[in-house]
């Protein structure tokens, strides 16, 4: 096992691995990342190999200071600074013009780069200790559920990672919100840890990607993603299920009095709190997969605040795997 509990010493060792071109899985407040030196194309190639991730899927660069951010980006519009002021460090990724320092493999050849400053102290310490920006996707095989504990990473990627830093379960539990900002407009590319309502309260109206056909295909936008092995079926809260539920699992949004029989039941938040539901959603999917249920029925949640990110992930987890 190459999981190590986070400590000063472990972070020092992890930083050496990153500097030498290796791969380290580290906790962020959203999900665990699989990190490499963002400025080393060979190290970044290792991420794609381990994840089995297609090269057309660009990565997020994680920074620990504004200086690091400004060195990796070109022109940064005022709206981006307004969002940074309000939400960094935190679960918001900004897509802006890239600087020449960023290798093409990181951005899949795009002229833009995705950057975020994570709010997890272990992530920030690691970036500072190696004094390098860290390119990191979620630490799971491509298309599978993102990890929210070190154990999920170990289960999925095993010895293919040089070191896994255990910083406990992720507090937010769904990935960062991705917003692209160009000279005129802001586009929501992926709903996530910061709600679109909160973003709009700072910079005004967001454009939603469906309306922006010319954008490059960001794979978080693929129809099937974040998927467990068992088939996922979305159902209405408390609504009737007409299928046979033998050997199936139920993930309920909150406590309710559903009468049907299930092999396993997980309640995301007894009181129906969306933040709490987001934080445990991926864990619940991992657990169901571990219990080898035939199908996973999941209840819808209200599409407000974090509920949008939750429903976005659920729809992708339930889509036919055709990519
Ligand atoms: O919370 C998170 O964002 C986590 C943690 C580890 O930071 N990371 C994460 O990375 O979710 P990943 O690789 O699983 O998702 C990154 C998404 C992809 O869907 C990718 O297409 C999009 O970001 N992306 C990256 N660069 C982009 C760019 N220049 N333009 C548009 N989309 C981009
Ligand atoms: Mg991912």
């Amino acid at each position: 096992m190459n999981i190590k509990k986070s400590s000063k010493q472990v972070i020092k060792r992890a930083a050496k691995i990153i500097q030498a071109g290796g791969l380290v899985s580290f906790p962020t407040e959203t999900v665990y990342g699989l990190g490499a030196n963002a400025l080393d194309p060979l190290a970044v190639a290792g991420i794609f190999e381990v994840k089995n991730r297609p090269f057309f899927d660009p990565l997020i660069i994680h920074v620990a200071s504004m200086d690091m951010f400004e060195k990796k980006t070109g022109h940064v519009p005022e709206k981006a600074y307004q969002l940074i002021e309000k939400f960094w460090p935190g679960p918001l990724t900004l897509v802006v013009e890239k600087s020449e320092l960023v290798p093409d493999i990181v951005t899949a050849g795009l002229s833009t780069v995705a950057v975020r400053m994570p709010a997890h102290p272990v992530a920030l310490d690691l970036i500072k200790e190696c004094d390098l920006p860290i390119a990191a996707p979620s630490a799971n095989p491509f298309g599978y559920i993102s990890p929210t504990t070190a154990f999920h990473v170990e289960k999925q990627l095993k010895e293919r990672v040089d070191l896994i830093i255990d910083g406990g379960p992720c507090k937010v539990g769904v990935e960062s919100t991705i917003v692209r900002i160009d000279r005129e407009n802001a586009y929501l590319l992926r709903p996530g840890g910061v709600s679109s309502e909160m973003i709009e309260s700072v910079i005004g109206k967001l454009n939603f990607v469906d309306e922006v056909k010319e954008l490059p295909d960001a794979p978080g936008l693929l129809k099937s993603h974040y998927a467990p092995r068992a088939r996922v079926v979305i159902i209405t809260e408390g609504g009737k299920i007409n299928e046979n539920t033998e050997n199936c699992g139920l993930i309920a949004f909150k406590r309710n009095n559903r009468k049907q029989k299930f092999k396993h039941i997980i309640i995301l938040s007894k009181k129906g709190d969306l933040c709490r539901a987001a934080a445990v959603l991926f864990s619940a999917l991992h657990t169901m997969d571990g219990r080898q249920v035939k199908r996973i029925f999941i209840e819808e949640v209200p599409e407000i605040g974090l509920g949008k990110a939750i429903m976005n992930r659920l729809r992708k987890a339930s889509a036919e795997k055709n990519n």
Side-chain angles (χ1 to χ4, degrees):
M1 285 248 264
N2 50 3
I3 298 187
K4 289 273 175 290
K5 260 218 149 12
S6 175
S7 70
K8 256 200 176 125
Q9 236 178 343
V10 167
I11 289 175
K12 277 213 162 93
R13 199 174 122 201
K16 290 219 169 76
I17 294 173
I18 299 255
Q19 285 165 340
L23 296 181
V24 172
S25 176
F26 62 98
T28 80
E29 75 281 26
T30 58
V31 299
Y32 274 70
L34 177 63
N37 175 1
L39 305 181
D40 176 351
L42 211 63
V44 173
I47 295 178
F48 285 91
E49 201 196 340
V50 166
K51 273 194 65 121
N52 209 357
R53 178 174 172 126
F55 279 104
F56 61 75
D57 191 356
L59 300 174
I60 296 173
I61 288 188
H62 298 69
V63 298
S65 68
M66 283 312 286
D67 182 52
M68 230 184 223
F69 169 71
E70 278 163 353
K71 285 202 175 104
K72 308 302 166 299
T73 50
H75 170 76
V76 177
E78 183 49 35
K79 277 186 182 166
Y81 280 113
Q82 288 168 356
L83 291 177
I84 287 171
E85 177 78 36
K86 185 89 190 184
F87 299 113
W88 276 14
L92 173 68
T93 296
L94 293 171
V95 174
V96 293
E97 237 173 55
K98 83 176 191 89
S99 88
E100 276 166 15
L101 287 176
V102 182
D104 276 342
I105 185 168
V106 171
T107 62
L110 298 173
S111 60
T112 54
V113 61
V115 191
R116 92 174 182 99
M117 191 185 289
H120 200 294
V122 172
L124 289 172
D125 286 351
L126 177 63
I127 301 164
K128 285 183 199 146
E129 184 65 37
C130 47
D131 199 18
L132 287 167
I134 297 183
S138 46
N140 52 281
F142 185 69
Y144 195 67
I145 320 161
S146 300
T148 52
T149 65
F151 174 68
H152 294 156
V153 181
E154 143 83 11
K155 205 174 59 173
Q156 299 183 70
L157 299 178
K158 301 221 165 56
E159 68 290 344
R160 307 196 68 192
V161 191
D162 297 308
L163 176 68
I164 302 168
I165 309 177
D166 185 353
C170 302
K171 291 218 168 79
V172 177
V174 288
E175 295 82 351
S176 60
T177 304
I178 305 182
V179 175
R180 182 183 136 178
I181 304 203
D182 63 20
R183 284 169 198 263
E184 282 107 50
N185 291 304
Y187 307 91
L188 181 76
L189 301 190
R190 176 175 76 182
V194 178
S195 72
S196 54
E197 292 93 331
M198 282 166 81
I199 290 169
E200 288 186 325
S201 76
V202 177
I203 56 165
K205 191 103 193 70
L206 278 169
N207 296 284
F208 290 84
V209 267
D210 299 7
E211 303 161 26
V212 194
K213 298 275 187 308
E214 74 277 15
L215 276 178
D217 221 10
L221 309 179
L222 287 174
K223 236 173 119 196
S224 164
H225 213 69
Y226 311 107
R229 274 180 286 274
R231 191 159 77 81
V232 171
V233 184
I234 301 175
I235 52 177
T236 55
E237 203 199 317
K240 185 149 174 45
I241 301 169
N242 293 321
E243 294 174 57
N244 182 353
T245 56
E246 203 182 313
N247 277 323
C248 292
L250 170 72
I251 299 179
F253 171 43
K254 56 185 184 222
R255 197 195 285 286
N256 61 31
N257 51 5
R258 196 179 276 285
K259 298 266 175 345
Q260 246 148 329
K261 282 241 172 314
F262 286 92
K263 192 170 168 201
H264 295 288
I265 297 179
I266 296 174
I267 296 169
L268 293 178
S269 161
K270 282 182 189 148
K271 293 187 178 144
D273 174 62
L274 285 168
C275 290
R276 164 99 198 128
V280 296
L281 172 68
F282 287 146
S283 244
L285 289 169
H286 278 285
T287 303
M288 285 295 180
D289 248 7
R291 292 177 183 173
Q292 300 184 330
V293 295
K294 212 166 66 190
R295 235 167 286 152
I296 306 170
F297 291 91
I298 308 188
E299 289 183 349
E300 280 175 355
V301 305
E303 284 198 62
I304 43 167
L306 275 191
K308 280 189 202 150
I310 296 177
M311 285 312 295
N312 168 276
R313 304 306 188 270
L314 289 187
R315 289 197 186 100
K316 284 172 200 280
S318 70
E320 290 291 329
K321 290 180 195 158
N322 53 4
N323 52 65

